[in-house]
């Protein structure tokens, strides 16, 4: 019988790539979607018609229990979150509820539905395996570079704090109840399906608009921040490998290479033969109350234990995103929305 996966955050970037990957592996894939008329569900269905949808919300414990009871999953991937860091200062309580407490609610739904009690569960094979989408934002003001599974956390945003709570809670449910519950500490990963609010997609859409004569400038915040950027399609494979591993462990996932926002901008404009300095305007209002200056992964454990490696390079990723947005806008998509190719 096909393995069954339940994915929260199915309408997001990672949910779509993970669903595609699991469908290719022969899984029956269910996505948890919230709201009575969520337009992002239709967008997801257009791309992934084989995904089955179950209604639920990370703010609503009963809905998660019902979803787990209905789907009877072998694997649960908790990707749902308020994931945009600046929003976490504006709506700190909501971020704590969805990104932090949502993890508790999902773990409780699994625990209650599988009848797991303290001191261990019925054994590895009957268990629902749980993946938590942890984040390199937990490292925040980094104590060492590159960051490993053992690097201390010093989150710099309400989002990072909420993720740290979810991370420790996942570890705690593994230790308290013997659950197969793991966290992937993923560094920034991007794609043509990235939300338009994140810097890589903002840049690729901005470059495409300028190239097509739809805009004359691109306003950005801190150009000196450095990130370890990879391709989302590569990273979802690591999530799956973590849940198929022999033992439940946490892993850092990234490329091990850092680039600045300035280098991102240079690469994106040069992909269409333009000089970025003629178009980019820096805007103080886009700077953050507390910045994470540099994030860089040491993904050695994932390489050695899971055999996972990123395939798409930074330059390939930037070119892929710019080309995709050029096509999207040339086909008449609304330049302000975040349509998927
Ligand atoms: P994304 O595109 O922003 O997607 C977030 C998802 O969360 C959406 O499907 C959204 O659904 C869902 N969601 C929001 N509030 C919810 C609620 N109350 N109940 C249920 N679902 C809710 O994020 P992503 O880039 O795919 O990232 C996936 C996960 O990985 C997130 O947890 C993120 O924090 C984490 N992460 C991402 C990165 C990265 O670089 N992409 C790195 C590290 C960790 P709606 O359509 O209903 O809003
Ligand atoms: N969004 C945005 N917009 N970021 C900008 C801009 C701008 O105009 N100008 C400069 N930046 C800088 C930000 O200050 C930050 O240092 C960097 O670009 C990356 O910002 P985002 O793309 O918004 O991503 P993030 O690093 O804050 O968060 C993403 O990665 C995390 C993993 O480290 C999100 O996907 C999080 O959900 C994820 O956990």
């Amino acid at each position: 019988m096909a393995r069954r996966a339940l994915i929260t955050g199915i309408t997001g970037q990672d949910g779509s790539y993970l669903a595609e990957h699991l469908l290719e592996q022969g899984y029956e894939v269910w996505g948890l979607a919230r709201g009575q008329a969520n337009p992002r569900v239709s967008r997801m269905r257009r791309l992934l018609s084989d995904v089955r949808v179950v209604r639920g919300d990370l703010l609503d414990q009963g809905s998660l229990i019902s979803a787990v009871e209905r789907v009877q999953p072998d694997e649960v991937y908790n990707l749902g979150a308020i994931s945009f860091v600046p929003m976490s200062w504006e709506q700190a309580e909501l971020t704590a509820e969805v990104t932090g407490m949502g993890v508790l609610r999902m773990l409780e739904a699994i625990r209650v539905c599988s009848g797991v009690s303290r001191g261990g569960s019925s054994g590895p094979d009957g268990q629902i395996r749980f993946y938590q989408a942890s984040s390199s934002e937990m490292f925040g003001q980094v104590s060492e570079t590159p960051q490993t599974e053992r690097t201390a956390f010093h989150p710099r945003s309400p989002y990072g704090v909420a993720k740290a709570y979810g991370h420790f809670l996942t570890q705690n449910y593994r230790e308290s109840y013997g659950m197969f519950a793991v966290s992937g500490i993923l560094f920034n990963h991007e794609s043509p399906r990235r939300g338009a609010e994140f810097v890589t997609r903002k840049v690729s859409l901005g470059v495409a608009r300028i190239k097509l004569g739809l805009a004359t400038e691109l306003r950005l915040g801190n150009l000196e921040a450095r990130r370890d950027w990879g391709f989302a399609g590569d990273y979802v494979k690591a999530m799956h490998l973590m849940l198929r591993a022999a033992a439940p462990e946490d892993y850092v996932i990234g490329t091990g290479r850092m680039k600045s926002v300035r280098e991102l901008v240079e690469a994106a404009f040069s992909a269409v033969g333009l000089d970025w300095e003629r178009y980019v305007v820096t805007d103080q209002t886009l700077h953050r109350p507390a910045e994470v200056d540099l994030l860089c992964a040491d993904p050695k454990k994932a390489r050695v234990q899971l055999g996972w490696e990123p395939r798409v390079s930074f330059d390939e990723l930037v070119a892929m995103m710019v080309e995709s947005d050029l096509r999207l806008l040339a086909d008449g998509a609304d330049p302000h929305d975040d349509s998927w190719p």
Side-chain angles (χ1 to χ4, degrees), residues 248-301:
E249 291 186 38
D250 302 332
Y251 293 87
V252 156
I253 301 296
T255 70
R257 289 188 195 86
M258 258 185 312
K259 297 280 183 183
S260 64
V261 175
R262 185 184 297 274
E263 287 171 296
L264 163 70
V265 166
E266 274 170 10
F269 276 90
S270 81
V272 295
L274 295 176
D275 174 9
W276 70 276
E277 290 185 276
R278 292 185 53 205
Y279 303 99
V280 170
V281 178
T282 50
D283 183 341
Q284 277 302 319
T285 64
L286 295 171
H287 283 243
R288 298 178 178 185
E291 180 61 280
V292 171
D293 290 324
L294 58 98
L295 290 176
C296 185
D298 176 353
K300 184 170 168 212
K301 181 180 173 189

Side-chain angles (χ1 to χ4, degrees), residues 83-85 135-137 159 186 188 194 197-199 202 219-222 225 227 261 286 288 291 295:
S83 77
F84 187 45
V85 174
S135 165
S136 49
E137 269 284 313
Y159 167 83
L186 270 53
N188 298 50
R194 186 59 143 151
E197 64 274 34
F198 299 96
V199 75
K202 184 173 174 185
R219 300 188 87 78
L220 293 171
N222 181 7
R227 290 289 183 279
V261 175
L286 295 171
R288 298 178 178 185
E291 180 61 280
L295 290 176

Side-chain angles (χ1 to χ4, degrees), residues 139-327:
F139 296 126
Q141 190 160 302
V142 299
S143 57
E144 59 180 354
T145 299
Q147 293 89 47
T148 73
E149 292 78 6
R150 291 173 306 286
T151 302
F153 296 159
H154 183 152
R156 296 270 285 168
S157 61
Y159 167 83
V161 173
K163 280 289 179 188
Y165 171 77
H167 183 87
F168 284 126
L169 198 73
T170 301
Q171 189 182 330
N172 180 260
Y173 270 54
R174 180 165 78 219
E175 293 171 1
S176 302
Y177 300 110
M179 283 171 65
F180 195 111
V182 305
S183 294
I185 307 176
L186 270 53
F187 284 62
N188 298 50
H189 45 280
E190 320 293 317
S191 74
R193 296 181 205 156
R194 186 59 143 151
E197 64 274 34
F198 299 96
V199 75
T200 52
R201 186 81 194 284
K202 184 173 174 185
V203 168
S204 64
L205 272 169
V207 166
R209 276 182 210 135
I210 290 169
K211 182 71 180 172
L212 295 173
L214 300 169
T216 52
E217 65 171 36
L218 175 59
R219 300 188 87 78
L220 293 171
N222 181 7
L223 300 184
E224 306 315 324
R226 283 185 284 170
R227 290 289 183 279
D228 177 335
W229 278 296
F231 172 52
D234 287 340
Y235 287 39
V236 298
K237 293 179 183 162
M239 299 176 186
H240 180 226
L241 287 170
M242 280 179 227
L243 285 203
R244 296 322 311 158
E249 291 186 38
D250 302 332
Y251 293 87
V252 156
I253 301 296
T255 70
R257 289 188 195 86
M258 258 185 312
K259 297 280 183 183
S260 64
V261 175
R262 185 184 297 274
E263 287 171 296
L264 163 70
V265 166
E266 274 170 10
F269 276 90
S270 81
V272 295
L274 295 176
D275 174 9
W276 70 276
E277 290 185 276
R278 292 185 53 205
Y279 303 99
V280 170
V281 178
T282 50
D283 183 341
Q284 277 302 319
T285 64
L286 295 171
H287 283 243
R288 298 178 178 185
E291 180 61 280
V292 171
D293 290 324
L294 58 98
L295 290 176
C296 185
D298 176 353
K300 184 170 168 212
K301 181 180 173 189
R303 188 173 60 244
V304 172
Q305 290 187 207
L306 301 175
W308 179 85
E309 278 192 89
R311 299 274 167 220
V312 177
S313 72
F314 175 77
D315 287 336
E316 288 167 342
L317 174 65
V318 173
M320 177 202 303
M321 292 180 69
V322 171
E323 280 162 25
S324 168
D325 281 329
L326 277 171
R327 274 197 305 276

